[in-house]
């Protein structure tokens, strides 16, 4: 297990630590799905993953929950980058619009989340998921509660 004091880090420091260290000993949805933190900056995060057959819905395309999870992660982590050490957040609302299906054959899906507003009690963000050709798969907005 890691000996790094994660609670002492600002949100931006923690997200950059996850990006560079890629910890495998900390259970997370990112580890489960094989997410990569491609870009981390204040108020903006880009994550990606490679699709696989395990992500299939009954029709054989990527389940919408994978896109929703990518969006929730990218937007939530973007909010996290704006927070001081010792401050938490949780998703209050997530609104996803699905545009097209994605394949399960190793296609790279990339989600970008960007903060629209970071207040004392709530934050809002927007995001999009694109495939490796830049085609829009889904887009979303979120509201997060800060605590």
């Amino acid at each position: 297990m890691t000996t790094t004091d994660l609670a002492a880090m600002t949100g931006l420091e923690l997200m950059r630590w996850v990006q560079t260290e890629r910890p495998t000993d900390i259970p997370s949805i990112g580890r489960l799905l094989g997410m990569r933190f491609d870009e981390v900056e204040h108020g903006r995060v880009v994550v990606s993953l490679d699709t696989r057959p395990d992500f299939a819905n009954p029709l054989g395309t990527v389940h919408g929950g994978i896109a929703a999870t990518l969006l929730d992660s990218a937007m939530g982590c973007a909010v996290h980058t704006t927070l001081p050490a010792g401050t938490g957040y949780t998703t209050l609302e997530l609104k996803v619009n699905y545009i097209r299906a994605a394949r399960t054959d190793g296609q790279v899906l990339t989600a970008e989340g960007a903060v629209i507003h970071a207040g004392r009690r709530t934050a809002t963000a927007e995001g999009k998921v694109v495939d490796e050709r830049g085609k829009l798969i889904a887009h979303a907005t979120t509201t997060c509660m800060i605590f």
Side-chain angles (χ1 to χ4, degrees), residues 19 24 42 86 129:
Q19 179 187 27
T24 58
H42 187 268
V129 175

Side-chain angles (χ1 to χ4, degrees), residues 88-112:
Y89 71 98
T90 191
T91 301
L92 283 176
E93 179 265 341
L94 176 67
K95 166 66 171 89
V96 180
N97 292 285
Y98 297 98
I99 305 303
R100 66 176 40 86
R103 300 184 323 271
T104 62
D105 62 355
Q107 176 179 46
V108 176
L109 297 181
T110 302
E112 177 179 353

Side-chain angles (χ1 to χ4, degrees), residues 41 51 63-64 93 98 113 132 135 138:
E41 56 191 69
T51 65
H63 188 281
E93 179 265 341
Y98 297 98
E132 51 205 14
K135 294 283 191 180

Side-chain angles (χ1 to χ4, degrees), residues 21-74:
E21 296 299 318
R22 304 179 77 115
T24 58
D25 59 340
I26 301 172
S28 70
I29 191 69
R31 183 179 81 171
L32 178 67
L33 297 181
M35 282 186 210
R36 298 175 294 271
F37 282 80
D38 301 326
E39 298 177 40
V40 174
E41 56 191 69
H42 187 268
R44 183 177 166 276
V45 169
V46 176
V47 297
S48 63
L49 58 71
D50 300 324
T51 65
R52 57 183 191 250
D54 288 338
F55 295 172
N57 62 26
L59 298 174
T61 59
V62 172
H63 188 281
I66 299 297
T69 300
L70 270 171
L71 286 160
D72 189 40
S73 297

